[in-house]
Amino acid sequence: MTDLSGRVALVTGGTRGIGLATARALAEAGATVVLTGRDEARAKEAAASVGASGLALDVTDAKAVSSLVRGVAKEHGKLDIVVANAGIMEDALLGMIKEELVDTTLSTNVAGTLHTVQAAARAMMRKKTGSIVVLASIVGEHGSAGQTVYAASKAAVANIARSAAKELGRSGIRVNAVAPGVIETDLTAGLSEDAKAENAGKTPLGRLGRPEEVANAIRFLVSDDASFITGQVLGIDGGLVL
Ligand code: NDP
């Protein structure tokens, strides 16, 4: 079992799904975990369920991200692990894409991830150590009909990881991305049973993924077991081919 005792971790978008499973996995490995969500009560309730603490944060607000990350690092004396997980997904065919969808998707998935990585890097730089994981997607690597905006946002997220890894390596900070396939969470709950079956059928493992399966990979990437891994985009998709 990976040992993260003594580590301080922050997971954005930790109120449910992959973020909550990640907060649980890190806490079970011994880390002190802070998770965030847009609503304070929801964040505190989710945090209590996994032995973490919960704070309100909208990742589209750069100043709020910066001040929360600084506050967590100050309170705990350091920040070792940051998982920039908060994200949204809304489908639209090319001809149906509205400006509002572009704005909300890019401000949450791209700018939100960027704000989080920037703030994490500032907090980790002083100790010259740290590990950051961002949430890309198989869709960002290969594209998907009806998901042009989401795919563009997740391709950007993967390249935030690749570029930040190049910039931060000399400061002892590793940055990686995970690129999940279809994982059963609220995000994919709107998929029809037919669409779920089709996606499951396209994976050699013949099923969709569980949030814990992404969390386990993230726990590995942030641990010392992954000490020579940086700038990677790790598929966690059951072998799904889009
Ligand atoms: P969920 O919809 O289950 O959870 C999303 C989380 O993000 C919630 O905790 C939500 O918190 C938070 N969130 C959303 N918008 C914001 C915001 N503006 N500021 C702060 N927090 C926010 O999603 P998943 O767990 O499925 O997905 C997690 C990540 O993994 C996302 O980045 C997603 O794109 C990515 N991913 C998911 C896949 C899947 O199949 N599920 C596949 C590939 C990638 P709250 O609503 O409480 O504020």
Side-chain angles (χ1 to χ4, degrees), residues 27-100:
E28 281 174 359
T32 298
V33 180
V34 179
L35 68 78
T36 70
R38 282 166 293 185
D39 179 78
E40 186 172 11
R42 230 171 27 225
K44 289 200 181 310
E45 193 183 335
S49 75
V50 297
S53 45
L55 295 172
L57 177 68
D58 185 332
V59 296
T60 63
D61 182 343
K63 280 195 182 133
V65 175
S66 169
S67 121
L68 182 137
V69 170
R70 231 180 311 119
V72 171
K74 192 169 175 203
E75 184 183 344
H76 297 280
K78 60 175 184 163
L79 185 58
D80 303 295
I81 295 165
V82 170
V83 183
N85 165 80
I88 54 170
M89 179 184 84
E90 201 179 315
D91 296 354
L93 292 169
L94 273 174
M96 306 294 283
I97 295 170
K98 299 207 168 78
E99 255 333 279
E100 195 194 337

Side-chain angles (χ1 to χ4, degrees), residues 13-19 37-38 42 57-60 85-88 108 135-137 150 154 180-183 185-188:
T15 55
R16 51 200 153 88
I18 294 168
R38 282 166 293 185
R42 230 171 27 225
L57 177 68
D58 185 332
V59 296
T60 63
N85 165 80
I88 54 170
T108 306
L135 268 287
S137 166
Y150 181 72
K154 290 300 180 176
V182 183
I183 311 297
T185 67
D186 289 355
L187 194 91
T188 52

Side-chain angles (χ1 to χ4, degrees), residues 76-238:
H76 297 280
K78 60 175 184 163
L79 185 58
D80 303 295
I81 295 165
V82 170
V83 183
N85 165 80
I88 54 170
M89 179 184 84
E90 201 179 315
D91 296 354
L93 292 169
L94 273 174
M96 306 294 283
I97 295 170
K98 299 207 168 78
E99 255 333 279
E100 195 194 337
L101 173 66
V102 178
D103 288 347
T104 53
T105 304
L106 297 187
S107 63
T108 306
N109 296 359
V110 182
T113 300
L114 190 59
H115 301 150
T116 308
V117 171
Q118 280 183 301
R122 276 188 216 113
M124 291 169 174
M125 207 81 90
R126 266 177 267 131
K127 301 260 180 196
K128 294 231 171 263
T129 179
S131 179
I132 301 169
V133 172
V134 301
L135 268 287
S137 166
I138 190 171
V139 163
E141 301 298 294
H142 298 282
S144 169
Q147 296 196 299
T148 301
V149 181
Y150 181 72
S153 77
K154 290 300 180 176
V157 167
N159 281 296
I160 288 172
R162 293 183 179 111
S163 302
K166 289 186 169 147
E167 204 171 309
L168 299 174
R170 295 294 164 98
S171 301
I173 302 167
R174 296 185 297 106
V175 190
N176 290 290
V178 290
V182 183
I183 311 297
E184 295 204 82
T185 67
D186 289 355
L187 194 91
T188 52
L191 287 176
S192 67
E193 288 308 312
D194 281 353
K196 285 185 186 175
E198 191 189 331
N199 277 301
K202 285 193 218 162
T203 72
L205 295 182
R207 63 175 176 84
L208 305 184
R210 296 186 300 274
E212 296 71 29
E213 295 178 302
V214 181
N216 290 343
I218 294 173
R219 182 180 54 196
F220 162 70
L221 284 174
V222 300
S223 76
D224 291 344
D225 292 340
S227 53
F228 202 49
I229 301 178
T230 196
Q232 303 304 305
V233 180
L234 176 63
I236 306 167
D237 53 21

